[in-house]
Amino acid sequence: DIQMTQSPSSLSASVGDRVTITCRASQTITTYLNWYQQKPGKAPKVLIYAASSLQTGVPSRFSGSGSGTDFALTITGLQPEDFATYFCQQGSSPPFTFGQGTKLEIK
Amino acid sequence: QVQVVQSGAEVKKPGASVKVSCNTSGYTFISYYIHWVRQAPGQGLEWVGAINPGDGSTTYAQKFKGRVILTRDTSTSTAYMEFKSLRSEDTAVYYCARDLGGWAAGLDYWGQGTLVTVSS
């Protein structure tokens, strides 16, 4: 199975900050990498697919980058509604494993 | 508009089975894979398996093979997950979600989740 490792596990930031969350795959997954946002008690929401494609309706302050084994999700200009937990997921081969999550909290 | 609606919460005893439904509407059911993902209380997301509603083919995470069966009913645009031989550690919210295109290209529409509690 492909292991997905996110860092950091938690992050404190302020409204307006720029933050980056990273995700590393245990083997190459080219660009088969998706990012999700989850708020308490809600289903996850896809933000980025194929490493860098912004899902329809997602604000442009979210961006994704990377290929191979190293990926990043960047939020430029944090908004109050962005404080949530973020997960990466590889779509290269089953099982389509998720990272352990990064909890983004208000500083 | 696309809608994904799951069946309600279940409480089961260890060793029992549960069948969760995932009713979809607003799109061509047979054209998009359906994935199942679970989340234990306070934990991360765990991929369970996926079904191609077009031909019924399935793939499962190895740890669930033999205990999970994914099926679909194209006449009602509904996917099902049956989970057998339940254990306390299977207590989780189970989600179904539509794949936005192809194979694990990203899950764009999710059900509301079904809490399955396994307790004696």
Side-chain angles (χ1 to χ4, degrees):
Chain A
D1 297 0
I2 298 174
Q3 307 303 315
M4 305 301 293
T5 304
Q6 281 183 240
S7 61
S9 297
S10 63
L11 177 59
S12 294
S14 301
V15 172
D17 283 355
R18 179 177 184 268
V19 298
T20 297
I21 298 167
T22 63
C23 183
R24 174 166 287 177
S26 60
Q27 63 190 72
T28 184
I29 57 171
T30 60
T31 57
Y32 293 106
L33 192 283
N34 310 312
W35 288 100
Y36 300 87
Q37 175 194 69
Q38 187 180 33
K39 296 183 178 179
K42 300 294 187 182
K45 169 187 172 183
V46 65
L47 303 173
I48 301 286
Y49 63 94
S52 60
S53 295
L54 191 68
Q55 172 65 350
T56 302
V58 174
S60 58
R61 62 181 179 272
F62 292 92
S63 63
S65 63
S67 66
T69 60
D70 293 304
F71 302 86
L73 172 71
T74 299
I75 312 171
T76 303
L78 272 173
Q79 297 299 301
E81 60 268 30
D82 299 336
F83 292 94
T85 301
Y86 293 84
F87 295 93
C88 60
Q89 181 201 24
Q90 63 87 10
S92 176
S93 62
F96 299 115
T97 40
F98 290 86
Q100 80 278 16
T102 295
K103 187 172 184 179
L104 178 56
E105 299 174 305
I106 300 174
K107 186 182 288 184
Chain B
Q1 71 283 20
V2 174
Q3 290 193 309
V4 181
V5 179
Q6 298 181 223
S7 49
E10 303 264 11
V11 179
K12 296 293 181 181
K13 293 192 183 302
S17 298
V18 68
K19 191 169 187 176
V20 179
S21 67
C22 173
N23 183 257
T24 71
S25 60
Y27 72 98
T28 304
F29 178 65
I30 61 172
S31 297
Y32 297 82
Y33 286 84
I34 293 285
H35 294 249
W36 292 84
V37 175
R38 76 178 188 179
Q39 187 168 37
Q43 301 301 308
L45 301 171
E46 184 172 31
W47 185 81
V48 174
I51 185 166
N52 177 348
D55 63 8
S57 59
T58 55
T59 187
Y60 302 100
Q62 183 65 35
K63 71 178 285 187
F64 301 118
K65 275 185 180 176
R67 289 208 299 141
V68 174
I69 301 174
L70 303 182
T71 57
R72 94 292 190 216
D73 182 342
T74 57
S75 69
T76 60
S77 300
T78 301
Y80 298 92
M81 179 195 70
E82 184 175 14
F83 213 115
K84 303 178 178 180
S85 303
L86 287 165
R87 310 162 184 160
S88 59
E89 54 266 37
D90 295 318
T91 293
V93 175
Y94 289 78
Y95 294 101
C96 63
R98 188 188 83 159
D99 198 315
L100 66 84
W103 186 228
L107 306 178
D108 61 349
Y109 287 94
W110 293 65
Q112 80 278 18
T114 297
L115 175 62
V116 175
T117 302
V118 184
S119 174
S120 55

